[in-house]
Amino acid sequence: MTPTPDPEEAQAAIEYCYAQGWSDGLPLVPASQPLVEKFLATTSRNPDEVIGELEQVGRNCTVYLAAVNAAMAGCLPEYFPVVLAAFDALMRERAARGGGWQSTSGPAPMIVVNGPVRHELGFNTAGGAFGPGFRPNATVARAIGLIVRNAFGIRPHVLEQATQGLPGRWSICLAENEEESPWPPFAVDGGQPAGVSAVSATLLRTCEFVDNRHTPDPEHVLNDIADTISRTGSLIFRDTSAGVVFCPEHAQMLAGAGFTKQDVQAWLMEHCGRTGADLRRAGKNGLRGIARFADADTSGDGTFTRILPSSRHVPIVVAGARNAAISMVVRVFGEWSGTAVEVST
Amino acid sequence: MPYPILDPTGTTATAAATKTRAPRAPRRRDLRGTTVGLLVNTKQNAAPFLDEVGRLLVQQHGATGTMARTKVNFAAPAPDDLVKEMTTGCDVIITGIGDCGSCSASAVADGIAFEAAGLPAAAICSDAFAVTADAMAELRGAPGYRYATTPHPVAVLTPDQVKQRAAQVLGDVMNLLTEPE
């Protein structure tokens, strides 16, 4: 019988990483040169290539640093091309290139994986899509968080100023349930051909469930989702962006009634919004530039204000199990770039 | 142990740029005859706050006038051409209001950039963001860089309250711009 690794050595190495300030709070896998070389061997990209830069703090991330952080996050080497694609996708977000990581909003990346790589690497594509339990989903998302902390140097209470942050920060990596989705994969909306392994990413302010399982009418479901999207608490600018991660049951019900993904987006753009009176009660009826503020003027009380300006502001993904009609509204921080990045080796 | 544990921060390679100490502009004896540059970062109440500080510096301290410019991206440092324009047209600079995670840090970064260009600067931040403002000063090679603070929150203040706050911070702003180090 092979002896188990020395737990005291392992504990000492883990504590060493904590002492350096590298950890997000959970134990890290101590990275060594041979391990990181296995990561670098999965990509043809030069280890010195800069894959992200935060000008205001004078820091950047290279392929090499991404590999060290991915190893520490607990990724297997073969996940590394997905980490790189996820990071590339995030760097296409204006907020992620700017002040988003420092924001009081404390936004969380939402990573969406499409294509054969989901099954090749063992991503969870079914129940518990947002939840823990699966190494690829958990560690790819965590790797992004460690890159922000370590390579960009954005640490909580210092350059990171999240007021409360949000549940799921550094842990949301969905693999779309393409097999039970009635619609084309999300990566197709991001400009990739169907069947290609690709990653999309944006930043979220929160996730809010819509549980609606006792109606046969798809418009009931859409109205329920529209009510959640239109919540005044989330409105701070003139426009907003809110995606929907549909469960397979809701998606299939809508598709069965003839709704394409574009139809659902158009329906939500039309129906999501609030009256001026609702907004005034919440102190958000006035506009100064694009920011909402409390205006005593009641003349707009009767006007319905729509809040989703384009279909890109309503990204739609299908994820989770087909065992209940529970979907998730995902509140986008800023706006999604509208592009997906191919996973390349 | 055959292999060391690798460092995920990369700071040994990139820290060199921040090792040199950022220059601090010579302070003025007073503000008589000066043009006060107001670099407004678009945060709620930043414009009226800085306008009032500028007005008081003219009224009470002999400044000739103000030149207000708006930084469109509050999270990032002011673009070079804006720094150049304000350096040419102004004698001292006020930046703010640092009232969020990224904009407090960048208001201080802007102050340090104007110092390097030879202009005394006073950044104004909400006191809730002192830690992140200090961290940015350190990143920019100016550890301990002094700036003015006003109590948090700023965004909810009425126009009259903004004026009171501007008056309250005026002494600190004067000390930052004119006090010799």
Side-chain angles (χ1 to χ4, degrees):
Chain A
M1 189 178 135
T2 318
T4 58
D6 182 341
E8 293 194 342
E9 283 290 328
Q11 289 153 10
I14 288 168
E15 288 303 326
Y16 174 86
C17 294
Y18 275 117
Q20 310 308 309
W22 298 334
S23 166
D24 52 13
L26 296 173
L28 296 169
V29 174
S32 62
Q33 194 61 35
L35 177 61
V36 168
E37 276 167 11
K38 286 181 196 164
F39 280 71
L40 295 172
T42 65
T43 176
S44 58
R45 296 170 78 168
N46 186 322
D48 295 330
E49 181 189 341
V50 173
I51 57 174
E53 193 163 12
L54 268 197
E55 184 204 347
Q56 68 269 35
V57 295
R59 296 283 285 268
N60 63 42
C61 181
T62 58
V63 169
Y64 169 80
L65 279 183
V68 176
N69 282 287
M72 287 186 156
C75 290
L76 288 172
E78 54 265 39
Y79 304 168
F80 190 47
V82 178
V83 172
L84 288 176
F87 195 70
D88 286 347
L90 265 178
M91 286 296 106
R92 295 181 180 187
E93 301 290 288
R94 185 172 171 272
R97 292 193 309 273
W101 306 120
Q102 296 162 261
S103 172
T104 47
S105 322
M110 179 177 78
I111 300 161
V112 181
V113 183
N114 280 107
V117 76
R118 293 169 306 138
H119 298 306
E120 289 160 12
L121 297 179
F123 279 89
N124 171 35
T125 65
F130 283 86
F134 300 89
R135 185 172 181 176
N137 307 67
T139 59
V140 167
R142 188 187 188 201
I144 300 297
L146 290 179
I147 289 170
V148 170
R149 178 185 181 92
N150 292 317
F152 284 170
I154 309 291
R155 298 186 177 192
H157 294 190
V158 189
L159 289 170
E160 194 256 72
Q161 288 286 310
T163 305
Q164 296 184 318
L166 61 120
R169 200 176 197 201
W170 315 133
S171 68
I172 304 172
C173 178
L174 311 171
E176 188 163 40
N177 189 344
E178 296 176 28
E179 290 70 18
E180 295 185 295
S181 169
W183 296 319
F186 186 56
V188 172
D189 303 338
Q192 294 292 336
V196 161
S197 291
V199 183
S200 315
T202 191
L203 292 172
L204 299 186
R205 286 208 61 170
T206 199
C207 308
E208 302 160 74
F209 75 93
V210 177
D211 190 325
N212 190 317
R213 48 180 124 181
H214 298 144
T215 176
D217 183 343
E219 291 228 351
H220 286 160
V221 173
L222 288 174
N223 274 306
D224 218 5
I225 289 169
D227 182 73
T228 296
I229 290 178
S230 305
R231 180 173 72 82
T232 60
S234 73
L235 301 176
I236 52 174
F237 298 117
R238 181 190 59 212
D239 298 329
T240 192
S241 173
V244 184
V245 177
F246 279 103
C247 64
E249 185 177 330
H250 278 158
Q252 287 169 12
M253 175 201 246
L254 287 161
F259 280 88
T260 64
K261 206 189 276 191
Q262 290 72 25
D263 292 336
V264 172
Q265 289 167 322
W267 195 99
L268 292 171
M269 286 161 62
E270 175 68 19
H271 292 83
C272 292
R274 296 301 284 249
T275 65
D278 289 344
L279 292 168
R280 189 167 55 78
R281 272 193 286 275
K284 293 181 171 180
N285 56 319
L287 277 180
R288 201 174 279 140
I290 58 163
R292 296 193 170 278
F293 75 103
D295 190 339
D297 181 9
T298 59
S299 64
D301 274 12
T303 308
F304 184 78
T305 301
R306 291 184 178 79
I307 52 178
L308 298 168
S310 82
S311 59
R312 191 165 52 80
H313 292 74
V314 202
I316 289 177
V317 179
V318 176
R322 58 176 188 84
N323 58 6
I326 306 169
S327 293
M328 195 77 90
V329 167
V330 291
R331 190 74 59 178
V332 177
F333 178 81
E335 60 187 73
W336 176 46
S337 71
T339 64
V341 176
E342 185 178 356
V343 177
S344 53
T345 51
Chain B
M1 229 166 61
Y3 294 105
I5 295 175
L6 298 180
D7 181 336
T9 67
T11 44
T12 45
T14 56
T18 61
K19 283 282 188 268
T20 52
R21 184 155 180 122
R24 178 175 158 89
R27 289 2 239 181
R28 302 190 65 95
R29 293 182 60 181
D30 56 51
L31 295 191
R32 274 179 290 190
T34 58
T35 298
V36 178
L38 306 173
L39 179 55
V40 179
N41 68 354
T42 74
K43 295 305 283 190
Q44 182 91 343
N45 276 335
F49 196 122
L50 294 198
D51 282 347
E52 180 65 5
V53 170
R55 194 187 69 80
L56 293 172
L57 291 176
V58 170
Q59 186 191 68
Q60 299 178 14
H61 294 279
T64 309
T66 61
M67 173 175 154
R69 290 291 181 272
T70 299
K71 183 170 77 163
V72 179
N73 182 359
F74 62 72
D80 290 344
D81 53 351
L82 183 57
V83 173
K84 202 170 170 184
E85 183 199 358
M86 295 188 77
T87 303
T88 307
C90 307
D91 302 295
V92 296
I93 298 289
I94 320 275
T95 73
I97 303 294
D99 192 29
C100 75
S102 57
C103 66
S104 305
S106 78
V108 165
D110 289 336
I112 293 165
F114 281 108
E115 300 281 352
L119 265 58
I124 304 175
C125 292
S126 140
D127 63 4
F129 293 99
V131 174
T132 204
D134 291 344
M136 178 55 86
E138 196 148 332
L139 278 175
R140 295 290 160 135
Y145 183 73
R146 290 167 56 217
Y147 50 91
T149 60
T150 189
H152 194 79
V154 172
V156 299
L157 301 178
T158 64
D160 282 344
Q161 290 171 324
V162 168
K163 287 185 174 164
Q164 287 167 19
R165 288 292 192 84
Q168 284 163 8
V169 84
L170 197 69
D172 289 343
V173 168
M174 277 302 291
N175 286 339
L176 287 170
L177 297 175
T178 60
E179 208 174 46
E181 190 153 46

